[in-house]
Amino acid sequence: MMKKRLLTGLQPSGDLHIGNYFGALKPFLDTYGEYESFLMVADYHTLTSKKDSENLKENIVNIVRSYLAVGVDPQKAVIFKQSDISEHTELAWIFDTLVTVPFLMQAHAYKDKVAKGLEANAGLFTYPMLQAADILLYDTEVVPVGEDQRQHIEYAREAATKFNNAFGETFKQPKELILKGLGVVPGVDGQKMSKSYGNTIPLFGSRDEIAKAVMSIVTDSSGDRPENVYRIHTLFKTEAELTGLYEEKKGKYKDLKEALIEDIEAQVAPMRERYESIDEVEVKKVLKEGNEKAQAIASAKMTTVRKKVGVAL
Ligand code: AQP
């Protein structure tokens, strides 16, 4: 029996943080063996917010290093780069012609980013349709993501429905996979951890960088338990494991932060070591192999799509 397909992608827009890990990479790692799996470098999405070519190049290499360092086996998942498969932007254009401006205007992520001062460029506005193309091009059925992406997966379903209604059954309906308790990892200020909010704990940071970020977690001095510290701590230890520690160190915020640093370090140090050992040669090899596999699927799907919409002569 054919395995169902699973796909997710992250933007090479800066250093990955533990929110990206627990929200997207961990659910991917926990499930990708059960599916035919795809892990994309969402580099064209990054252009909606960043225009720094040297930095983008470096971040593309680093995100593939991250994928490998957290334990993704490139023999078991297709690791590929979005911009190398031009069918993504081609299909996104077709979806742009199917959805309305008022529909796109309801996207929370767009409104939030513009409210935070990001330029309201047309690419940022139509981003959900490029994401729909990323997903639907591969007949993806499962998409591991954080909570902030739930609406975008709904938008991908809408793009599939609009296309199928207009041109006949072509695309599958994808479903988000959001792990309980991991959908929104808080940052050091208690808001959603986000590269653009400057509130992250870096996934591959040095011990000192992790310690600095943890020590800056905002604590509310009114209670025995520093809630922001505790919420992040539950990602690394079970609540049962933490009960004794938080009882013993009641009110001692510095001690609790130090315990959190140790627990983060225990989990990320081996990944950081692997990350440091992966070079650009290996990254290029992985992408070359992954791109070939992705390209074959994307080309076949777009041949069908072009026929269905009527542009193929
Ligand atoms: N705080 C978070 N908690 C849970 N999941 C999260 N994700 C991001 N932040 C959290 C998930 O990580 C994946 C990668 O998303 P992306 O690379 O497209 O970037 P993003 O969502 O825009 O991530 P950032 O760090 O929050 O970047 P900016 O600053 O651009 O907003 C997605 O699955 C996302 O849900």
Side-chain angles (χ1 to χ4, degrees), residues 39 151 167:
L39 184 54
Q151 192 192 31
F167 302 112

Side-chain angles (χ1 to χ4, degrees), residues 11 17 19-20 23 113 146 148-149 183 185 192-196:
Q11 295 186 56
H17 51 74
N20 297 133
K113 290 195 170 179
D148 58 341
Q149 292 292 332
V185 172
K192 182 205 143 198
M193 188 176 289
S194 198
K195 285 170 218 141
S196 54

